[in-house]
Amino acid sequence: MTRRSRRALPATLTALVLLAASVLVAVCAIQLAVGEVPLLPYDSLAGLLHDTTWSARETAVAGGVVTAIGLVLFLAAVVPGRARTAALDQHTAVSVRGLRNALRSAAVVDGVESAAVKVRRRRVRAVVRTRRAVVDGLGDAVRAAVEHRVGEFALARPPQVVVRVKALRSTP
């Protein structure tokens, strides 16, 4: 059960462009039906398109732009997005955001000022900051706490835990 991102941005942009084109065509059609001058002059536009040949530079550029946009939209639809859940078993999952927040709170052990956690498929990377001058053993304590919390989640594929300790510089 792996949920992927929804690709909301490409879908929204495509919908807005198609909506704008549809509104423009509808307004021009209504203006022609009523007998007013259309927003886009149909006769001059049709004449311009009729005079343009297939071998013209403008045609090649327009075709390249449309092809590039189509390729980008196709790749956005086909390439899988970042997983938003981590599998617990075949039928249940936990959100990656919730897992990250739980692991970040577990990484704040005695002596840790702040923690940042990144959760990937195979690895959990924790960067903790401390004001201690001697950081011996702090990384091991954080790793043990995070691994214990990962064990509590009982993930289908437990990730490797990597901890990095950064000592904050104290101002004299």
Side-chain angles (χ1 to χ4, degrees):
M1 174 180 196
T2 303
R3 294 192 178 169
R4 303 279 179 187
S5 61
R6 292 175 291 200
R7 309 278 195 236
L9 183 64
T12 302
L13 291 176
T14 303
L16 288 174
V17 167
L18 290 174
L19 178 67
S22 299
V23 167
L24 185 64
V25 168
V27 166
C28 289
I30 291 171
Q31 286 175 334
L32 282 173
V34 174
E36 293 183 16
V37 177
L39 200 62
L40 292 176
Y42 177 75
D43 294 334
S44 62
L45 191 61
L48 178 70
L49 291 175
H50 186 272
D51 294 339
T52 304
T53 63
W54 285 108
S55 60
R57 177 176 285 154
E58 296 85 12
T59 306
V61 169
V65 168
V66 169
T67 302
I69 291 170
L71 183 62
V72 167
L73 290 174
F74 176 75
L75 288 175
V78 172
V79 174
R82 188 179 276 177
R84 297 184 309 159
T85 60
L88 297 176
D89 59 25
Q90 187 176 4
H91 301 291
T92 58
V94 62
S95 74
V96 172
R97 180 181 293 173
L99 179 63
R100 182 187 66 225
N101 291 340
L103 297 180
R104 183 175 52 227
S105 68
V108 180
V109 296
D110 187 36
V112 172
E113 287 286 319
S114 65
V117 176
K118 289 185 180 181
V119 177
R120 298 288 181 246
R121 176 179 289 182
R122 300 185 197 278
R123 182 173 295 156
V124 171
R125 182 176 303 250
V127 178
V128 295
R129 297 182 187 277
T130 182
R131 291 199 186 275
R132 288 184 179 176
V134 179
V135 294
D136 295 336
L138 186 59
D140 294 332
V142 171
R143 182 178 299 105
V146 172
E147 285 175 347
H148 178 70
R149 184 65 57 92
V150 167
E152 288 177 348
F153 275 96
L155 296 170
R157 289 188 225 152
Q160 174 190 6
V161 177
V162 177
V163 176
R164 183 172 170 206
V165 178
K166 289 186 176 182
L168 296 175
R169 307 253 189 245
S170 60
T171 57

